[in-house]
Amino acid sequence: MNRVLEYGLAIVIAGGVGYWMLADRIGADDAIPVAEQSAAAGRPGQGQQQGGTRSALVTLEQAVTRPYATEYQAIGSIEAVARVAVQSDVSGRVDQIAFTPGTAVNKGDALLHLDQRSEELNLASAQAQLAEVTATLARLERLATSSTSVSTVQLDEAHTAVELARVEADRAEFELQRRVIKAPLSGQVGLTDLVAGSYVNAGSDIVTISALDRVKVSFALPEGATEVLEPGASVRVTLPSRPGQVLWAEVSAIATEIDPGTRLIEVEALMDNAAAGLTHGMIAEIYLRAERPALPSIPAVAVMWGRDGASVFVAEDGIARRVPVTIASRVDDMVWVHADLKQGDKIVVEGAHKLQEGGRVMTADAATRAEGEPGQLAATTTSVPAASARQVAATATSTAVGRDD
């Protein structure tokens, strides 16, 4: 029994040695050509392997040099060019209200009559006194021409009495006129709480008059706007209370100082109001547009921020170059930058996070064309023993799958 087992084991060992020698001989005579790993591994979306350097798949857009505009925005208010709170100089009871709230009045129109009976009596008394001393002066002057009984001193005293009486009469008339409150300017009168019989104290407000044929827009802008702010500049005005309505005003006054707390500068602009019908105190949105010289414009998504500030990648002959940028303006999804860029430079807008200075880049279209043209991929063949052919194929397959992840 043991002898049978020994014979069987010897046969198995001999067969194994013979199979190994035969396979080695066949492998030496039979070489199988395979593509390099770089050719088998090329896949769009994962870059290409050339000379051991991986190309990042990116999206490019060209820089365009063109002018742009800076627009400053502010919230302001509509104000009457002239607006006066009419006050009474004297105290008294209201005898008559001579205006209708909300209507227009002219300068000098009577607004309010206060009780004036006492002032009328004072005026009558002063006028009577003036008449008396005037008659006395006339009599003395007649006597002085016909006789020497009237002295020069008497005549001088009579003249003085007349002047004093005239002053008193003028004062009484002035006090009487003060009982009538008049409009100091033309405009639209506001509301009042007074009625006939109300008592008015000296210095109390009676009504407000606003001149609204022209209005001013008061607002404040950042100090950067001082570069383009000048009298006569046009500003666009819109009102939240009137959607869709666009008005234009002209800068009329600019403050000489910037507020140290807010860093804003006060501005006033004038505009006609005959057709607009704006009211004092309305909220307005103001836009000042300043045209700027041409600068490179690029998509905002291309800008990357790092420790050294903002930058973009420029693709030059398939190589990424980092270019520092300073943003000058942004409109929607485009930015204008101060940078070493020129018209037509290819800016990386997608995939920049995968890049480093000097890294290789490739677009999706270029990767697709390279895959379709064998000459574009380094498909160098090498001879590999047949015993290792399956290992090479397995290695290439594994690499390609890894790039699809």
Side-chain angles (χ1 to χ4, degrees):
M1 185 67 178
N2 291 335
R3 188 175 298 275
V4 173
L5 291 176
E6 290 176 356
Y7 286 145
L9 181 61
I11 293 172
V12 171
I13 292 174
V17 171
Y19 179 82
W20 176 82
M21 294 179 63
L22 179 62
D24 186 64
R25 181 175 301 174
I26 294 174
D29 296 335
D30 244 347
I32 301 175
V34 297
E36 280 189 345
Q37 182 176 340
S38 59
R43 291 294 184 273
Q46 298 297 324
Q48 302 295 332
Q49 186 117 354
Q50 296 181 357
T53 301
R54 191 183 186 90
S55 297
L57 185 63
V58 298
T59 301
L60 305 177
E61 285 194 26
Q62 292 187 353
V64 179
T65 301
R66 54 187 171 183
Y68 69 100
T70 300
E71 191 170 67
Y72 297 95
Q73 302 181 18
I75 300 296
S77 61
I78 303 295
E79 300 178 8
V81 173
R83 183 172 180 269
V84 176
V86 181
Q87 296 180 332
S88 174
D89 294 332
V90 296
S91 300
R93 196 166 299 280
V94 176
D95 187 50
Q96 178 187 358
I97 297 177
F99 68 91
T100 301
T103 59
V105 295
N106 295 318
K107 182 178 180 179
D109 288 352
L111 301 175
L112 198 71
H113 295 270
L114 299 179
D115 179 70
Q116 54 192 23
R117 285 172 295 178
S118 176
E119 286 70 25
E120 289 173 346
L121 292 175
N122 291 338
L123 177 59
S125 174
Q127 289 175 338
Q129 181 65 26
L130 176 60
E132 181 180 353
V133 296
T134 300
T136 299
L137 175 60
R139 185 173 64 255
L140 291 175
E141 287 177 339
R142 287 194 303 270
L143 291 175
T145 58
S146 61
S147 66
T148 58
S149 58
V150 178
S151 66
T152 304
V153 175
Q154 290 177 309
L155 286 174
D156 291 342
E157 291 176 347
H159 278 289
T160 301
V162 169
E163 292 300 324
L164 291 174
R166 182 174 290 114
V167 170
E168 289 299 323
D170 289 344
R171 180 180 289 111
E173 185 174 3
F174 174 72
E175 291 297 330
L176 178 61
Q177 292 175 350
R178 294 177 70 188
R179 310 301 289 182
V180 179
I181 313 301
K182 297 182 179 180
L185 76 162
S186 299
Q188 188 173 3
V189 292
L191 303 177
T192 182
D193 295 330
L194 298 177
V195 295
S198 300
Y199 191 84
V200 175
N201 292 312
S204 60
D205 292 344
I206 296 173
V207 72
T208 300
I209 301 178
S210 301
L212 294 172
D213 53 336
R214 283 174 63 82
V215 294
K216 67 180 178 181
V217 188
S218 298
F219 56 97
L221 291 175
E223 58 181 292
T226 55
E227 181 184 358
V228 295
L229 265 179
E230 59 181 2
S234 295
V235 295
R236 180 163 53 94
V237 180
T238 61
L239 299 104
S241 59
R242 300 185 182 182
Q245 185 176 19
V246 177
L247 304 171
W248 293 90
E250 187 176 282
V251 174
S252 58
I254 305 170
T256 58
E257 298 179 355
I258 294 174
D259 188 303
T262 63
R263 310 309 305 171
L264 300 176
I265 186 168
E266 298 290 335
V267 185
E268 291 181 355
L270 293 175
M271 64 179 177
D272 291 329
N273 190 39
L278 305 182
T279 302
H280 176 88
M282 296 181 74
I283 296 177
E285 297 173 344
I286 299 92
Y287 303 87
L288 173 64
R289 185 179 177 87
E291 298 296 332
R292 302 290 189 176
L295 283 178
S297 62
I298 60 176
V301 295
V303 180
M304 300 180 302
W305 296 89
R307 185 176 303 173
D308 298 328
S311 63
V312 298
F313 274 111
V314 179
E316 296 178 344
D317 298 327
I319 303 299
R321 177 173 64 91
R322 186 187 295 271
V323 177
V325 299
T326 300
I327 296 177
S329 180
R330 175 168 182 162
V331 178
D332 298 330
D333 59 349
M334 298 296 294
V335 292
W336 279 255
V337 296
H338 296 283
D340 182 19
L341 299 175
K342 60 183 181 295
Q343 176 79 15
D345 278 350
K346 297 177 180 179
I347 309 299
V348 177
V349 295
E350 292 183 12
H353 64 281
K354 300 181 291 185
L355 297 179
Q356 293 182 352
E357 178 74 21
R360 299 189 63 83
V361 296
M362 179 178 289
T363 64
D365 291 342
T368 302
R369 290 195 301 270
E371 185 178 15
E373 300 175 8
Q376 297 297 320
L377 295 177
T380 306
T381 59
T382 58
S383 295
V384 184
S388 304
R390 286 190 298 274
Q391 297 177 359
V392 172
T395 301
T397 303
S398 175
T399 303
V401 171
R403 292 187 178 185
D404 287 338
D405 289 342

